[in-house]
Structure formats: structure tokens, C-alpha cells
Amino acid sequence: MTQLSISTGAGVFDAIVAGPPGGRPVLLLHGFPQTGLVWRRQIEALAAHGYRVVAPDQRGYSPGARPQRPEDYRISLLVDDVVAISEELGWAAFDLVGHDWGGAVAWWTAHAHPGRVRTLTVVSTPHPGALATTLRTDQDQRNRSQYMIDWRETPATEERMLAHDAQELRGFYAGGVPQESADAYVRHLSQPGALSAALNWYRAGRPDGAIDVIDLPTLYVWSTEDIAFGPAAAHETERWVKGPYRFETLQGAGHWIPEEAPETLSRLLLEHLRAHGEY
């Protein structure tokens, strides 16, 4: 794995890259509060099988692409970043993978640019339409999502998360993320303005459009102990995909699947890519 700087009209994105330059391209999108490092084990597995893998630090996480205003983190702009990165890499089409917020961006990118996305893999995050449905109909999911409202509406969230050697932020990773990775995330988000930028993803407001069903080969991986996304939204997601669909449930795993169950996720991802190589 090596480091790469990707220059776009929105700024410069830091990224991890691995695999042969001529390999089938795969773009990996991280979520909150992590970086492209979350995909380390999947990058190694994909590169070993000949894929060209790029995992950028997304808008706000890359110092060279860190606007200050919450409205600069609207979902449409995050999707534009994915397209701009792929264009700078010279990728006319690519396989797209996302976890947590990266999963949400992946769903929206697949909706907005189906001609660019060869296959879609989303980890943890239900389809936005499924999540919206269950937020209206399922009290359990409303309870799980309350933190999003709290973070949007509490100006002191950053200070609280970083207080006492980032005790609250570190608590998010407990039990699921290797200590070395958790330390790296905390160091990264302790940079001036970094955590505010990451929280701006929550503060940016509602999407400026509607999302429809996804007509692409889609793998959705969810875990039974996910604290943020419950079973109702996970199972509702099937109604929002009309392309070839595979839903995998990981028993006993929490929200941090790429690091909690790296071998299982890498295997599922490789199976999905191989199954739809010519789609």
C-alpha cells in the first residue's frame, strides 16, 4: 500500500492505493469517525487478487479538501467528489464499496451515476429510502438514530468528544477497532478543524433530491449487534434494490465490520466482484 494525492476541483484528497495499475478498479469509502485506513485488510485482500484499489480520506477528512461550512457537505457534493476522484484516476467505471457514511454516499452515487458504478457493496448502512421508511415506522430505529440529531444540534459536540484525551471519541471504537487504528483515527480527528468537518456531514441538512431503487448488482452486509442500524432498516433495504441482490447478516458483530470481521468481509466482497465481473 502506498499514499496518493488526488487533485480535484474540490481540493486534494489523500488516499491509500494498492494493486496493479491495470487491475479492475475498486473505490472504497470510509465513514465516521474513521479514514481510508479502515479498509486496510480489504485493500490487502483485493490487491492480492489483482484489483486496483483506492481508499480516499473523504471531504473534511483530507486536510486539502476541508471546507468549513456545513452546507459544503451536502450529499450531492459528496457524490460529486466520488465522480471527480474516479475521473482523476482515469476510471470510466469502477466497483464501489462504502461503510457507514461512506455507505450512504455509495448508495447515492449508484443512484446518480449507475453508468459509472459496475457493482455496489455497502457495509452496515441501509439504503437511504429504507432508513427513511423505518424512521417513520420503527421506534427502535428512531432510538438508534437519535445521536444524529444530538450531534447536529449541539455546538459543543466537538469539545465533548475530544475532552480528556478524546475519551468519548475513543469510546466509539471500544471492542471493535484495533487499538492502533483507534489511536490513528483520534490523532487524525484531533487536527484543527478535522472533527468539525467530519461532524458537518451530519449538519449539512437533508439531501437536495430523492433517491430511487438501485438497479445494479448489490451486496449489503449488516451485523446483528450494529448500534446505529437495526434489523427493520436492514431487511427493508431489499425493497430498494431491483438489480441482483445479496444480503449477508454477520451474527454477533458490531458496527465496525471492516475491522471486526475483516476476513469474512473480504471473502464476501471478492465473491461479489467475481460474480458480476461482466455485468
Side-chain angles (χ1 to χ4, degrees):
M1 295 188 292
T2 59
Q3 295 293 320
L4 179 68
S5 294
I6 305 172
S7 297
T8 74
V12 179
F13 292 87
D14 301 328
I16 301 170
V17 61
R24 175 172 161 183
V26 182
L27 190 66
L28 302 165
L29 305 177
H30 69 85
F32 178 90
Q34 299 178 295
T35 66
L37 179 67
V38 68
W39 299 111
R40 178 176 60 83
R41 298 288 294 277
Q42 289 73 45
I43 293 169
E44 293 171 348
L46 290 169
H49 285 83
Y51 293 88
R52 180 65 166 177
V53 192
V54 174
D57 292 347
Q58 294 198 80
R59 179 178 291 230
Y61 294 84
S62 285
R66 186 176 289 164
Q68 296 183 358
R69 303 183 307 167
E71 57 264 35
D72 289 327
Y73 293 82
R74 301 189 309 276
I75 194 70
S76 59
L77 297 177
L78 303 175
V79 171
D80 288 346
D81 289 343
V82 173
V83 174
I85 288 170
S86 68
E87 289 180 341
E88 183 64 26
L89 293 168
W91 294 355
F94 54 94
D95 298 283
L96 184 58
V97 184
H99 172 251
D100 187 78
W101 256 115
V105 176
W107 285 115
W108 280 95
T109 302
H111 162 72
H113 302 279
R116 290 182 176 270
V117 180
R118 182 181 289 108
T119 69
L120 176 65
T121 300
V122 180
V123 184
S124 302
T125 315
H127 184 288
L131 181 59
T133 297
T134 52
L135 285 172
R136 293 193 302 270
T137 62
D138 183 63
Q139 184 60 48
D140 173 66
Q141 187 57 58
R142 285 196 290 272
N143 293 341
R144 291 172 187 260
S145 297
Q146 180 62 40
Y147 72 94
M148 300 185 191
I149 299 173
D150 295 340
W151 291 354
R152 280 200 303 266
E153 298 180 355
T154 306
T157 298
E158 294 92 319
E159 290 82 357
R160 190 184 73 240
M161 287 185 179
L162 293 176
H164 309 295
D165 190 31
Q167 180 178 355
E168 182 174 322
L169 183 59
R170 291 181 185 278
F172 297 155
Y173 311 117
V177 175
Q179 187 62 51
E180 181 181 2
S181 296
D183 290 342
Y185 300 143
V186 170
R187 285 195 301 271
H188 191 92
L189 291 169
S190 296
Q191 299 171 5
L195 185 55
S196 291
L199 288 167
N200 279 342
W201 287 53
Y202 296 93
R203 295 167 173 162
R206 294 181 179 276
D208 43 8
I211 190 170
D212 204 344
V213 297
I214 302 301
D215 189 11
L216 290 169
T218 300
L219 168 65
Y220 176 42
V221 184
W222 173 76
S223 49
T224 58
E225 303 309 306
D226 193 309
I227 193 171
F229 303 114
H235 291 283
E236 173 72 14
T237 291
E238 183 175 11
R239 296 181 55 194
W240 291 85
V241 181
K242 65 180 180 181
Y245 182 64
R246 180 177 179 181
F247 175 46
E248 290 286 341
T249 299
L250 304 189
Q251 297 291 333
H255 181 70
W256 315 107
I257 291 174
E259 290 164 305
E260 286 190 63
E263 293 86 2
T264 300
L265 180 57
S266 295
R267 174 181 58 81
L268 292 171
L269 180 53
L270 284 165
E271 289 175 359
H272 180 57
L273 296 177
R274 289 167 180 159
H276 301 287
E278 302 302 324
Y279 187 82

